[in-house]
Amino acid sequence: MTEKNKGKKMTLEANDTVKCVCHALGSLRAISFHSDVKGPLITLSDGGRRVTRDVSSFCHGLTFSGRPVQIEEKVRLRVEHCERRWHGALRVGFTHVLPEHTTLPPLAIPDLTHSPLYAAVVVPEGICRPGLEIQFWLKKNGCMHILCSDGSTHTEPTTLNPTWPVWAMIDVYGQTTSVMMLGSKKRRCIFTRRSCPALTHIKHTEDKEMLERIKEQMSMLEQRNHYLDNKDHETSDCEECVVCYSEVANCRLSCGHKCVCGPCGMRVYMTFGTCPLCRQPLGFFHPCD
């Protein structure tokens, strides 16, 4: 490759991180870091594209994507700065839980990953240096895959359900103190869909259509709760889901009630956070055979 072509390629790659593709045919929704949910030592800059952790500590650097990501959608990051006095490095992963419903602990691993609704992987400290670009995505089989610009790859099985909504989770941990969001991309047949890493394009709330669905689900659940409040239940197990009344109740909530199907259990957990029978706060639920 000639020097001229090399220079042209580098220019195109640099422009790829800032060019707006929101209105391009088949483009993905813009993605950046969540502006409201972040660790106490995290600050945002560059319109929400860069997160920086205060170097006074190695932890309290949790951040999330500002919107759900699709299965096989590759979230792209670049390590901007490292602080050598700490050990460990960046952690990346996904969660089914709305960022707004997550109580932020100091660490992603193991403080969040003890729950099957969270999954995260450590980026090796030896390669996590300024300039390293990382792509990570959730595959259709539920495994998380990481690809680094140095050629290294890693695949990790998770407990996540690929049919449920997921948000990207980034823990700016240890030596890693600053990370830039480069956008995302997803391969579709013969072309690649891309997104803008621009905060100005992002709404950090659900789309209107999704909000309407949530309101409808809340109304249905309120009706079911009214019915259940006025009916004696002799056992904690139900034969049919008390939310949709169309599927078998095959999930046991953390309070002990086996009263919802898998999809409804996930919606109840993310939307309300309490059991529809006893109103106790939920931890996580177990699919039953």
Side-chain angles (χ1 to χ4, degrees):
M1 184 181 293
T2 65
E3 291 297 325
K4 182 178 180 180
N5 289 337
K6 286 183 180 179
K8 183 178 180 180
K9 181 179 179 181
M10 292 177 64
T11 301
L12 290 173
E13 290 176 347
N15 290 340
D16 181 54
T17 65
V18 296
K19 182 181 178 181
C20 177
V21 296
C22 286
H23 305 293
L25 181 64
S27 63
L28 297 170
R29 288 177 55 200
I31 188 170
S32 192
F33 292 104
H34 202 294
S35 62
D36 299 322
V37 184
K38 56 186 184 296
L41 296 184
I42 286 290
T43 56
L44 274 69
S45 58
D46 287 343
R49 296 174 58 212
R50 177 183 282 110
V51 289
T52 303
R53 190 194 79 244
D54 191 295
V55 296
S56 60
S57 177
F58 60 89
C59 56
H60 292 292
L62 271 167
T63 62
F64 297 87
S65 59
R67 65 160 173 85
V69 298
Q70 301 177 21
I71 301 302
E72 303 282 353
E73 180 181 355
K74 300 176 180 179
V75 181
R76 302 169 54 229
L77 305 174
R78 182 173 64 232
V79 177
E80 295 283 286
H81 188 267
C82 295
E83 180 64 42
R84 295 295 182 89
R85 60 172 165 160
W86 301 117
H87 295 289
L90 184 70
R91 285 96 159 90
V92 296
F94 296 97
T95 176
H96 288 310
V97 183
L98 282 165
E100 293 88 345
H101 291 179
T102 299
T103 301
L104 296 182
L107 308 170
I109 305 174
D111 295 349
L112 289 178
T113 53
H114 72 276
S115 166
L117 299 178
Y118 298 86
V121 172
V122 176
V123 178
E125 181 178 333
I127 66 171
C128 198
R129 294 289 182 262
L132 180 75
E133 294 190 7
I134 300 167
Q135 301 179 37
F136 64 103
W137 63 98
L138 191 64
K139 304 181 76 173
K140 293 178 181 178
N141 61 4
C143 290
M144 183 165 60
H145 192 79
I146 297 178
L147 172 63
C148 299
S149 56
D150 70 341
S152 60
T153 64
H154 180 72
T155 300
E156 182 84 12
T158 75
T159 56
L160 301 178
N161 188 332
T163 65
W164 293 348
V166 292
W167 283 258
M169 181 171 63
I170 301 97
D171 188 359
V172 187
Y173 173 82
Q175 292 187 1
T176 309
T177 57
S178 183
V179 176
M180 174 73 81
M181 178 73 77
L182 301 180
S184 65
K185 61 183 181 180
K186 181 177 180 179
R187 182 73 177 175
R188 289 293 298 272
C189 300
I190 61 173
F191 65 95
T192 299
R193 302 172 63 194
R194 298 179 183 274
S195 71
C196 283
L199 182 65
T200 53
H201 300 293
I202 296 175
K203 295 182 293 183
H204 288 298
T205 58
E206 300 297 325
D207 289 337
K208 184 177 180 181
E209 183 179 348
M210 186 175 292
L211 286 174
E212 291 300 321
R213 289 201 301 268
I214 291 176
K215 289 178 181 179
E216 182 180 349
Q217 293 164 6
M218 290 176 66
S219 176
M220 291 176 58
L221 191 56
E222 287 173 356
Q223 294 176 24
R224 304 294 187 270
N225 286 340
H226 179 74
Y227 167 77
L228 294 170
D229 285 341
N230 292 278
K231 180 178 179 180
D232 293 329
H233 292 267
E234 297 180 356
T235 66
S236 63
D237 289 359
C238 306
E239 292 185 0
E240 62 182 13
C241 175
V242 299
V243 177
C244 66
Y245 278 106
S246 61
E247 300 293 336
V248 176
N250 58 5
C251 283
R252 189 174 299 279
L253 303 175
S254 58
C255 61
H257 287 125
K258 181 184 173 185
C259 59
V260 292
C261 63
C264 288
M266 191 63 218
R267 288 195 293 269
V268 167
Y269 179 87
M270 293 195 302
T271 306
F272 304 99
T274 58
C275 171
L277 294 185
C278 65
R279 310 296 195 278
Q280 290 188 30
L282 298 178
F284 55 87
F285 59 89
H286 304 277
C288 300
D289 295 331

